[in-house]
């Protein structure tokens, strides 16, 4: 009778029926023909797979002859094929009870039935009984050795296989079994040697060779090292195909093709077992070589394809692994769904920084294919409802939802996957580490009853155990354990460094956190995105998308806190990782926030250059929408930098592309540009069109400024008042309107608006106090000006400009009050102090008076001091100050005319023009003339007066009259009567008031003295000149200064009228004169619609610039 081998978890019906063909011939007596016929019919039904009919025939025979062992054996065989193990055992036990030596295959069939029932101990005991009766039955030794391997009795299994090898040294099956036993005992070196011998023996065997064990099924199911009860079935599915070989007499009748097939299977099995042992040892290269040998011999070996794909993943060759995993899903049905899930995981992770050797360049890595991965996982989940596949599918569905713009749906998938993964990790947390780590036989094992301590010995032991199971590239040779995971993404990720507190991998894969970061960024949840991105960077170090999104989230968090510099730093890191036009556009928006706050010129220029460089890249590399947004923003930036021509070009290009969608935004920007270029009429037309659609305060103020620049004061003021009615509580608007009033000379209205602005919360703003002070100064109200400047200094004690101006006005105030000595000391102190540079403070709008504070120049201080010296009867010192003032003014004029950048703010001074410079020089000569007269140096005084008269510019009539009058006095003092008569005549012709009053008070009749040349329309009379005979008779003696009109170079202003006239004694007469000095210059605030960078950039460079997070893959 043919011999049977119990090598699988189960025997399929076809194999058992094939075995039935080779059963021994029936042994019946001739006189029992009807029983013989029944047996023959039963045998025929068995061969035809009609098992129930065969059982019925065999039962009929046994009813007639209960001791018919052939019928009893065949019926038990049918029951075994039908998986009725209890009935089969009952028949086989009866056969053994009646004749224990009837057929040695009975013991193997009994062992098979007990193995099916899970009673491997009883199965091994029956095989031992078989060997006691048939010691040379090699088949029983092989079967018992395999049972011992499954029972983890590696020592006993090794004895059985050693016995076989003693008898048959070239038997491949025995070498494989010996290798399995040695592997279980931890002797990997000897196990490799036996696996190699098994391969060699299988290769050397002839196809027609029919040794006793030649037909042993090479795909016998063997337990894995460290196999648990929960994984044995899965392990057998991965390593073998259930089979039962027929041995003995029937093997000679088998075809040569069947033998060749069995030989190939034996060779493949040897390579597979050696490859798995290499995987267990961490030698991935050799394992891959053995698996390739299998695939070369059998290109449809699905199990080898699966293991080769796993090995390639551990080698980092994920792209190649995808091809073999796809083939494994087609050629190995038991692991089809897991192959699909692992293939999908590779498609989801293939683009990350996992060290893909075939794509070393970061930018050349293949992108993730989440769509295909989701399709494969849907297919896998239809046949395998394991939670690992469901979790992986949730992650893939989340990635697909993100690609479709469904961020909320993606977060729902990711939250569900993360929650399930943490529950899975919590369930496994109580399992001891040592039970999950396979160690060699000689390795020390930590006692399970002793808790792990943070000691050097335990750390060394745990690290060694962890390294054995999680070494780089190390893979368990148990497929169920190799695929045991919370999520299939875990099988593709790189192992993290060992941590005593977390000995196992992170429960949630880094891709989950990376996708959550992407979803939060898409929803604008910056804080949540930053939190998740930290975990993503920790779990996926060096991954481009996670790093970029982390820096992007950090930038947005800081920008919400208005930490523009910090946001720029973070965004710069994001751009360095992944340069994209939308990120460059966002960086440009942040630079627009930083630019107005730059205090130094170098810093301002550097930020402006960086900003324009970013926008140039956006305009060059972005898509159409991003490019147009960048161009429109660049137009705003160029406007803020006052590069109007280039800004207008960009706006016109955007208008041609019909961008922006809201045409009024384009009109607003274009109107600002035209206003900056001085094309006020066109700007007013555009602003009017915008206001017809919607009235805004900004546009009303822009039109007001343009109208005022055109000279339409009524229209400009009307727009300013209308803007105040729209926003009466806007302090900044009140300041702007007040500046418009101040520029038009409406100082009282300006003071009122500044006062209201302070009440609305501007009390802490020194700019408002300075504006109020300047309004008072323009009205010649010195004490209110000083009070306002003191208030500004109280708000900003470090403002040196305000200190300097306050001290200068205080000196003028003392001179007005007659405290000339105090004034001289103050002016002397200021003259010895360098002028402070123009200052701008935080919170002060660009263009306000704080930046344009009128600084008294040194020539003005010298002028004021010289006037005070005259009042103090110090004509010599006064003369020096007047000469110094003229020289300082001429030097300053030359510096300003040369175009020095630091002196641009002085161009508004009236003395910084040629006409103003000539006027100031004439005034200083007039003052010098008075000083010479006070000293009695009439010749020098006459020379100074003649220099004024010789000036090329045409003097005003009043000024000419005063100079000729002084010339007449000097000639009278020098007794040059004819010249004096001519001088008085010229003065009288220009303006008769001074001469008429002077002569009248000295008892001279105007009509009888000299000819009066009346103005046009009045009669003219001629008389003879006066008789002046002796020295001193030309000026009548006056015992007290007369009360008369003071002599001044120009007509006195309200400011000058507050100062007294100076009584100057000329021989025996007195002259009431006033030195020339002007009212402190108050520059009018610029009403030209110059762009304010902070306003323009905030309006046209919003931080809501659309950008997308860096997608995964």
């Amino acid at each position: 009778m043919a011999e049977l081998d119990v090598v699988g978890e189960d025997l399929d019906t076809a194999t058992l029926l094939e075995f039935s063909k080779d059963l021994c011939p029936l042994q019946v007596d001739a006189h029992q023909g009807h029983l013989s016929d029944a047996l023959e019919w039963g045998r025929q039904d068995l061969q035809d797979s009609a098992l129930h009919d065969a059982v019925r025939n065999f039962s009929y025979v046994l009813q007639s002859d209960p001791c018919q062992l052939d019928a009893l054996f065949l019926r038990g065989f049918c029951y075994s094929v039908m998986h009725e193990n209890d009935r089969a055992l009952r028949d086989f036990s009866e056969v053994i009870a009646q004749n224990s030596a009837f057929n040695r295959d009975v013991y193997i069939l009994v062992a098979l039935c007990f193995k099916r029932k899970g009673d491997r101990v009883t199965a091994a005991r029956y095989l031992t009984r078989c060997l006691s009766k048939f010691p040379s039955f090699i088949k029983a030794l092989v079967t018992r050795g395999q049972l011992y391997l499954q029972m983890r009795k590696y020592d006993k299994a090794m004895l059985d296989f050693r016995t076989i090898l003693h008898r048959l040294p070239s038997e491949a099956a025995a070498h494989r079994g010996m290798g399995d036993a040695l592997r279980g005992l931890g002797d990997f070196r000897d196990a490799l040697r036996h696996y190699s011998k098994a391969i060699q023996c299988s290769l050397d065997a002839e196809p027609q060779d029919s040794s006793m064990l030649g037909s042993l099924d090479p795909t016998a199911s063997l337990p894995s090292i460290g196999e648990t009860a929960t994984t044995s079935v899965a392990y057998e599915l991965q390593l073998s195909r259930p089979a039962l070989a027929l041995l003995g007499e029937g093997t000679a009748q088998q075809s040569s093709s069947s033998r060749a097939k069995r030989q190939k299977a034996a060779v493949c099995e040897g390579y597979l077992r050696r490859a798995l042992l290499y995987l267990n040892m961490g030698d991935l290269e050799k394992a891959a070589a053995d698996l390739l040998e299998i695939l070369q011999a059998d290109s449809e070996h699905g199990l080898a394809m699966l293991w080769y794909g796993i090995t390639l993943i551990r080698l980092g060759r994920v792209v190649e692994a995808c091809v073999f995993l796809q083939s494994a899903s087609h050629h190995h049905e038991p692991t089809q769904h897991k192959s699909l899930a692992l293939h999908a995981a590779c498609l989801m992770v293939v683009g990350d920084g996992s060290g893909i050797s075939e794509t070393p360049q970061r930018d050349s890595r293949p992108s993730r294919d989440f769509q295909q991965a989701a399709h494969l996982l849907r297919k896998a989940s239809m046949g395998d409802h394991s939670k690992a596949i469901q979790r992986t599918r949730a992650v893939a569905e989340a990635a697909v939802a993100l690609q479709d713009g469904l961020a909320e749906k993606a977060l729902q998938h990711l939250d569900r996957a993360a929650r399930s993964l943490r529950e899975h990790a919590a369930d496994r947390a109580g399992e001891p580490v040592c039970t999950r780590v396979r160690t060699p036989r000689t390795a020390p094992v930590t006692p399970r009853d002793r808790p792990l301590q943070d000691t050097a010995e335990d750390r060394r032991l745990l690290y060694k155990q962890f390294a054995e199971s999680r070494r780089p590239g190390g893979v368990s040779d148990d497929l169920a354990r190799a695929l045991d995971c919370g999520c299939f993404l875990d099988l593709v990720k790189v192992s993290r460094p060992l941590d005593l507190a977390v000995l196992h991998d992170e429960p949630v894969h880094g891709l989950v956190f990376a996708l959550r970061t992407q979803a939060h960024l898409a929803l604008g949840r910056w804080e949540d995105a930053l939190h998740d991105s930290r975990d993503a960077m920790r779990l996926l170090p060096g991954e481009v998308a996670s790093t970029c999104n982390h820096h992007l989230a950090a930038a947005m968090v800081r920008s919400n806190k208005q930490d523009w510099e910090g946001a720029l730093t973070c965004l710069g890191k994001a751009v360095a990782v992944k340069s994209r036009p939308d990120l460059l556009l966002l960086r440009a928006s942040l630079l627009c926030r930083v630019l107005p706050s730059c205090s130094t010129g170098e810093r301002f220029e550097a930020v402006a250059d960086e900003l324009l460089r970013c926008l140039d890249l956006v305009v060059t590399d972005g898509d159409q929408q991003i490019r147009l947004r960048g161009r429109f923003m660049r137009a705003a930036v160029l406007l803020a930098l006052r590069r109007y021509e280039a800004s207008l070009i960009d706006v016109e290009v955007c208008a041609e592309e019909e961008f922006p969608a809201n045409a009024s935004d384009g009109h607003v920007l274009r109107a600002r540009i035209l206003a900056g270029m001085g094309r006020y009429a066109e700007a007013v037309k555009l602003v009017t069109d915008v206001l017809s659609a919607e009235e805004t305060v900004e546009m009303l103020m822009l039109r007001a400024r343009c109208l005022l620049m055109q000279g339409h004061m009524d229209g400009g003021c009307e727009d300013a008042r209308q803007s105040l009615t729209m926003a009466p509580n806007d302090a900044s608007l009140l300041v702007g309107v007040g500046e418009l009033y101040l520029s038009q000379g409406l100082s009282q209205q300006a003071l009122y608006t500044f006062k209201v602005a302070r009440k609305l919360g501007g009390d802490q703003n020194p700019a408002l106090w300075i504006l109020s002070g300047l309004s008072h100064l323009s009205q010649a109200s010195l004490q209110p000006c000083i009070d306002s400047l003191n208030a500004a200094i109280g708000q900003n004690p470090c403002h040196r400009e305000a200190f300097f101006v306050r001290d200068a006005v205080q000196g003028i105030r003392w001179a007005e009050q007659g405290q000339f000595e105090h004034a001289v000391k103050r002016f002397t102190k200021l003259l010895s102090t360098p002028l402070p540079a123009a200052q701008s403070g935080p919170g002060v709008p660009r263009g306000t008076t704080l930046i344009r504070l009128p600084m008294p120049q040194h020539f003005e201080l010298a002028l004021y001091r010289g006037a005070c010296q005259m009042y103090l009867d110090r004509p010599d010192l006064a003369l020096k100050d007047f000469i110094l003032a003229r020289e300082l003014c001429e030097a300053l004029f030359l510096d300003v005319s040369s175009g020095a950048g630091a002196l641009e703010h002085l161009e508004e001074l009236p003395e910084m023009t040629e006409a103003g410079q000539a006027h100031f020089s004439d005034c200083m000569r007039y003052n010098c003339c008075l000083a010479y007269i006070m000293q009695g140096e009439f010749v020098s005084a006459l020379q100074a007066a003649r220099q004024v008269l010789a000036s090329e510019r045409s003097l005003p009539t009043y000024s000419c009259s005063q100079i000729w009058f002084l010339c007449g006095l000097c000639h009278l003092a020098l007794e040059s009567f004819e010249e004096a008569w001519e001088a008085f005549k010229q003065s009288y012709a220009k303006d008769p008031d001074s001469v008429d009053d002077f002569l009248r008070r000295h008892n001279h009749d105007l009509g009888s003295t000299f000819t009066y040349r009346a103005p046009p329309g009045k009669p003219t009379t001629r008389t003879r000149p006066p008789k002046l005979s002796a020295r001193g008779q030309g000026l009548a003696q006056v015992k007290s200064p007369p009360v008369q009109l003071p002599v001044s170079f120009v007509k006195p202003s309200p400011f000058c009228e507050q100062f007294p006239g100076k009584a100057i004694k000329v021989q025996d007469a007195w002259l009431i004169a006033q030195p020339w000095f002007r009212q402190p210059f108050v520059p009018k605030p610029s009403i030209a619609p110059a762009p304010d960078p902070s306003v323009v950039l905030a309006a046209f460079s919003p931080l809501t610039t659309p950008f997308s997070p860096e997608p995964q893959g």
Side-chain angles (χ1 to χ4, degrees):
M1 178 175 289
E3 295 176 339
L4 188 65
D5 180 23
V6 183
V7 292
E9 176 63 28
D10 200 357
L11 297 178
D12 58 353
T13 303
T15 305
L16 289 175
L17 291 177
E18 183 182 357
F19 175 77
S20 66
K21 298 177 183 180
D22 298 321
L23 292 178
C24 58
L26 300 177
Q27 300 176 1
V28 296
D29 297 336
H31 65 278
Q32 296 179 342
H34 63 286
L35 295 180
S36 175
D37 292 340
L39 281 173
E40 187 62 31
W41 291 337
R43 180 185 178 89
Q44 188 63 40
D45 291 336
L46 179 59
Q47 293 178 355
D48 295 340
S49 301
L51 299 179
H52 293 282
D53 293 339
V55 168
R56 188 167 50 253
N57 286 320
F58 295 143
S59 298
Y60 173 77
V61 173
L62 291 173
Q63 288 177 0
S64 300
D65 186 2
C67 296
Q68 178 56 257
L69 297 182
D70 290 334
L72 197 61
F73 174 75
L74 291 174
R75 190 177 69 174
F77 181 80
C78 291
Y79 285 140
S80 177
V81 174
M82 295 166 64
H83 288 262
E84 296 182 10
N85 296 319
D86 293 335
R87 292 185 178 182
L89 285 174
R90 191 164 51 248
D91 287 346
F92 291 146
S93 299
E94 185 66 24
V95 171
I96 294 174
Q98 293 187 22
N99 185 1
S100 60
F102 174 75
N103 192 326
R104 56 186 183 180
D105 286 332
V106 174
Y107 295 95
I108 294 181
L109 291 173
V110 170
L112 171 62
C113 292
F114 278 111
K115 182 176 180 293
R116 285 177 179 174
K117 296 176 67 175
D119 190 356
R120 290 189 176 89
V121 176
T122 305
R125 187 166 59 248
Y126 269 94
L127 291 173
T128 301
R129 289 180 59 186
C130 175
L131 288 171
S132 65
K133 293 185 177 294
F134 307 101
S136 60
F137 190 22
I138 302 299
K139 215 35 145 157
L141 283 172
V142 174
T143 305
R144 189 175 68 176
Q146 293 172 353
L147 281 175
Y148 282 148
L149 289 176
Q150 296 177 3
M151 295 165 63
R152 299 180 182 276
K153 296 181 179 180
Y154 302 117
D155 294 327
K156 293 183 178 180
M158 187 170 60
L159 293 175
D160 284 344
F161 290 121
R162 187 174 293 168
T163 302
I164 298 173
L165 291 175
H166 181 71
R167 298 179 184 178
L168 300 172
S170 299
E171 182 51 50
H175 282 294
R176 285 196 301 270
M178 192 68 176
D180 293 338
L182 291 170
R183 181 190 62 183
L185 293 173
D187 192 352
F188 294 158
R189 180 179 299 179
D190 288 342
L192 282 175
R193 181 170 56 84
H194 280 281
Y195 285 148
S196 300
K197 288 184 177 180
I199 296 171
Q200 190 61 39
C201 292
S202 299
L203 292 173
D204 293 341
E206 295 294 334
Q208 65 274 13
D209 186 14
S210 178
S211 63
M212 182 177 293
L213 297 179
S215 61
L216 176 65
D217 182 13
T219 61
S221 172
L222 293 179
S224 66
I225 302 174
E227 175 190 6
T228 62
T230 59
T231 61
S232 60
V233 175
Y235 180 78
E236 290 185 358
L237 286 176
Q238 71 180 344
L239 279 185
S240 66
R241 300 180 299 272
L244 184 64
L246 298 177
L247 305 175
E249 298 89 344
T251 57
Q253 302 174 2
Q254 296 173 2
S255 63
S256 59
S257 61
S258 176
R259 294 176 188 147
K261 183 178 179 180
R262 291 180 182 276
Q263 182 188 13
K264 182 174 69 174
V267 173
C268 292
E269 181 65 18
Y271 277 119
L272 181 59
R273 296 196 181 196
R274 190 172 70 174
L276 295 181
L277 183 56
Y278 279 134
L279 287 176
N280 198 318
M281 297 171 62
D283 195 344
L284 302 181
E285 295 293 343
K286 292 183 178 180
D290 282 350
L291 291 170
L292 274 180
E293 291 289 342
I294 298 174
L295 295 178
Q296 289 179 0
D298 185 359
S299 60
E300 297 183 356
H301 199 296
L303 187 59
M305 292 178 182
L306 177 58
W307 277 113
Y308 189 60
I310 295 174
T311 305
L312 290 177
I313 291 174
R314 301 305 296 181
L315 288 171
R317 297 156 59 182
V318 184
V319 177
E320 296 180 35
C322 292
V323 179
F324 291 93
L325 292 173
Q326 182 179 7
S327 300
S329 64
H330 297 310
H331 295 99
H332 196 248
E333 184 176 357
T335 58
Q336 176 185 7
H337 305 102
K338 288 184 170 55
S339 299
L340 289 172
L342 189 57
H343 182 198
C346 291
L347 293 177
M348 294 167 65
V349 188
V350 72
D352 69 0
S354 300
I356 304 174
S357 59
E358 67 270 25
T359 56
Q361 298 297 326
R362 181 180 65 187
D363 296 336
S364 63
R365 288 173 182 164
S367 59
R368 297 179 172 100
D369 191 351
F370 291 112
Q371 295 283 353
Q372 180 65 16
H375 172 72
L376 294 176
L377 288 166
R378 294 188 198 105
K379 185 177 179 181
S381 60
M382 293 175 62
D384 190 340
H385 302 289
S386 64
K387 291 186 178 180
I389 293 180
Q390 298 301 327
R391 298 183 193 110
T392 311
R393 179 183 174 183
V395 178
E397 295 289 357
V400 173
L402 278 176
Q403 291 178 351
D404 296 337
L406 305 175
E408 288 287 356
K409 182 179 179 181
L411 281 177
Q412 294 175 3
H413 286 298
L414 293 171
D415 291 341
R416 185 171 65 253
R419 184 170 55 252
S420 179
L421 284 169
R422 291 191 176 95
E423 291 174 356
H424 172 73
D427 293 340
R428 301 179 62 179
E431 184 178 355
V433 177
C434 297
T435 63
R436 303 188 62 206
V437 179
R438 178 174 305 155
T439 57
R441 178 175 53 181
T442 58
V445 179
T446 303
R448 298 184 181 182
D449 56 349
R450 178 172 66 86
L452 298 176
Q453 303 294 329
D454 189 9
T455 62
E457 180 62 23
D458 282 351
R459 279 183 174 274
R460 183 192 63 78
L461 176 60
L462 288 174
Y463 186 84
K464 182 176 181 179
Q465 294 177 349
F466 188 84
E468 286 294 335
S469 63
R470 299 290 181 182
R471 64 170 60 90
V475 183
S476 172
D477 58 354
D478 182 348
L479 186 58
R481 292 188 59 187
L483 298 179
D484 181 23
C485 59
C487 175
F488 276 88
L489 292 170
D490 296 337
L491 303 178
V492 189
K493 71 179 181 179
V494 179
S495 299
R496 297 178 52 241
L498 174 67
D499 186 354
L500 183 64
V502 185
L503 288 177
H504 306 298
D505 290 345
E506 188 73 22
V508 181
H509 191 270
L511 183 60
V512 176
F513 292 109
L515 293 174
R516 281 175 59 87
T517 302
Q518 185 178 343
H520 285 311
L521 284 175
L523 294 173
R525 302 172 183 172
W526 316 125
E527 295 285 353
D528 295 335
L530 182 61
H531 176 74
D532 286 334
S533 65
R534 292 193 182 102
D535 292 329
M537 288 185 63
R538 176 172 56 88
L539 298 174
L540 300 174
E543 203 266 330
V544 174
S546 299
T547 305
C548 180
N549 289 336
H550 169 73
H551 295 311
L552 182 58
M556 297 309 298
V557 168
R558 297 199 176 192
S559 66
N560 284 347
K561 299 177 181 179
Q562 295 189 352
D563 181 9
W564 309 123
E565 294 290 348
L568 269 178
T569 301
C570 295
L571 193 58
K573 295 178 181 178
V575 173
V577 173
K578 187 72 173 180
S579 180
R580 292 179 5 214
D582 57 340
L583 296 186
L584 290 173
L585 188 61
L586 180 60
R587 178 174 173 81
S589 299
L590 292 175
L591 286 170
C592 288
R593 298 303 189 278
V594 175
L595 185 63
S597 63
C598 296
S599 57
T600 62
E602 294 182 359
R603 172 65 174 162
F604 185 88
E605 292 296 332
V607 174
D609 292 342
E610 177 66 18
L611 175 56
L612 291 176
R613 185 161 52 250
C614 286
L615 291 174
D616 291 342
L617 292 174
V618 171
V619 172
T620 304
D621 302 333
D623 56 20
Q624 183 177 8
Q625 285 298 318
I626 295 294
R627 186 170 63 253
L628 289 175
R629 288 181 181 276
R631 188 179 290 276
F632 193 72
M633 188 184 297
R634 186 173 67 178
V637 173
L638 292 172
L639 170 62
L641 298 177
R642 304 190 181 187
R643 303 178 187 177
Y644 302 116
E645 296 293 342
S647 179
L648 186 60
I649 293 175
D650 280 340
V651 170
E652 290 176 349
V653 172
C654 292
E656 293 176 359
E657 298 288 341
E658 297 182 356
F659 184 89
N662 186 5
S664 62
D665 293 339
H667 292 330
V668 169
L669 183 58
R670 186 184 182 91
R672 290 179 181 273
I673 297 172
L674 292 175
M677 298 174 67
R679 297 160 62 176
Y680 302 117
E682 299 176 52
V684 168
K685 182 179 179 181
L686 279 176
V687 173
T688 303
D689 294 340
V690 174
L691 291 174
S692 63
E694 180 183 3
E695 287 190 354
T696 60
V697 174
E698 292 78 7
M699 290 296 99
L700 283 173
M701 288 297 294
L702 179 60
R703 189 170 68 175
R705 292 179 182 275
C706 292
L707 289 174
L708 289 176
M709 292 300 296
Q710 289 181 292
H712 304 304
M713 181 177 177
D714 294 338
C717 292
E718 179 61 28
D719 281 344
R721 286 190 290 268
Q722 185 177 354
S723 65
L724 283 179
T725 60
M726 296 179 62
N729 297 325
D730 190 345
S732 62
L733 177 61
L734 285 167
V735 173
V737 174
E739 287 183 334
L740 291 182
Y741 286 148
L742 188 59
S743 68
Q744 300 302 311
L746 305 176
S747 302
Q748 196 63 35
Q749 291 88 332
L751 281 172
Y752 177 76
T753 55
F754 295 145
K755 180 179 179 181
V756 175
R758 291 200 305 271
K759 289 182 178 180
L760 291 175
D763 259 350
Q764 304 300 320
N765 191 348
L768 287 177
W769 286 108
I770 292 178
L771 285 170
S772 299
L774 294 183
S775 300
H776 287 299
L777 187 60
S778 65
Q779 293 179 330
S781 302
L782 299 182
Q783 189 57 48
C785 174
I786 294 172
D787 295 339
S788 297
L789 291 175
N790 283 331
I793 292 171
Q795 300 299 329
N796 186 7
C798 298
H799 201 294
R800 296 178 57 206
E801 279 185 296
F803 274 106
F804 195 89
V805 175
R806 191 271 313 270
D807 290 345
V809 176
Q810 183 66 61
I812 300 173
R813 174 63 176 163
W814 284 335
E816 182 185 34
Q817 295 174 344
Q819 303 179 32
F820 300 111
E821 193 65 45
H822 291 291
V824 167
K825 292 180 180 180
R826 175 59 56 87
F827 293 136
T828 301
K829 178 181 178 182
L830 294 177
L831 279 169
S832 62
T833 304
L835 292 176
Q839 174 181 334
S840 62
V844 180
R846 183 180 177 88
T848 61
T849 316
L850 179 61
I851 300 177
R852 304 177 62 248
L853 192 61
M855 296 295 300
Q857 299 299 310
H858 283 166
F859 74 88
E860 297 177 270
L861 299 175
L863 169 62
Y864 292 135
R865 189 176 68 174
C868 293
Q869 297 286 12
M870 282 189 64
Y871 283 109
L872 292 173
D873 294 324
R874 299 169 185 170
D876 53 340
L877 298 179
L879 185 61
K880 292 180 180 180
D881 283 339
F882 294 144
I883 296 174
L884 176 64
R886 187 182 66 185
E887 292 175 353
L888 290 176
C889 184
E890 291 176 355
L892 184 62
F893 173 71
L894 293 176
D895 291 339
V896 174
S897 301
S898 63
L903 301 176
E904 289 180 354
H905 61 285
L906 299 178
E907 293 178 355
E908 297 182 4
L909 287 173
E911 291 80 10
M912 294 301 106
T913 62
E914 292 185 0
Q917 177 67 26
H919 173 71
F920 185 81
S921 298
D922 292 341
C923 292
M924 291 303 98
R925 293 187 179 99
Y926 166 78
N927 288 348
C928 290
C929 181
L930 294 179
Y932 284 130
I933 292 175
M934 289 180 66
Q935 290 179 311
E937 299 179 6
F938 301 108
V939 176
S940 299
L942 189 60
Q943 291 178 354
R946 288 174 177 174
Q947 288 179 358
V948 176
L949 293 173
S951 176
E952 295 181 359
R953 74 184 190 94
S954 58
L955 294 174
T957 302
Y958 181 82
S959 301
C960 288
S961 174
Q962 302 305 308
I963 292 296
W964 280 112
F965 180 75
L966 292 179
C967 289
L969 289 179
C970 292
H971 282 300
L972 283 178
L974 295 173
E975 299 181 355
S976 302
F977 304 115
E978 293 294 333
E979 289 82 357
W981 183 81
E982 289 293 335
F984 284 128
K985 181 179 176 181
Q986 292 290 338
S987 175
Y988 195 84
K990 301 293 183 182
D991 189 345
D993 292 341
S994 297
V995 177
D996 190 17
D997 184 74
F998 178 79
L999 295 178
R1000 180 176 57 80
R1001 292 187 181 277
H1002 288 77
N1003 299 321
H1004 286 275
D1005 184 11
L1006 176 64
S1008 62
T1009 303
F1010 52 87
T1011 303
Y1012 167 62
R1013 183 174 296 174
K1018 292 185 179 182
T1020 302
T1021 60
R1022 286 183 176 273
T1023 59
R1024 56 187 176 84
K1027 297 180 179 180
L1028 300 174
S1029 57
R1031 181 177 180 182
Q1033 294 179 352
L1035 296 176
Q1037 295 184 0
V1038 181
K1039 296 183 179 180
S1040 62
V1043 179
Q1044 69 173 56
L1045 182 67
V1047 176
S1048 176
F1049 187 61
V1050 295
K1051 289 186 177 182
S1053 65
F1055 173 76
C1056 295
E1057 288 178 353
Q1058 300 179 25
F1059 292 84
K1062 173 60 179 172
I1064 302 175
K1065 187 176 182 181
V1066 183
Q1067 292 185 357
D1068 297 330
W1070 290 89
L1071 173 67
I1072 304 300
Q1074 189 181 56
W1076 180 89
F1077 53 88
R1078 61 170 172 78
Q1079 180 178 347
F1081 173 70
V1082 179
K1084 294 182 179 180
S1086 176
I1087 62 172
D1092 182 359
S1094 60
V1095 176
V1096 173
L1097 298 178
F1100 298 101
S1101 60
L1103 287 177
T1104 56
T1105 300
F1107 65 91
S1108 59
E1110 179 65 18
Q1112 297 299 318

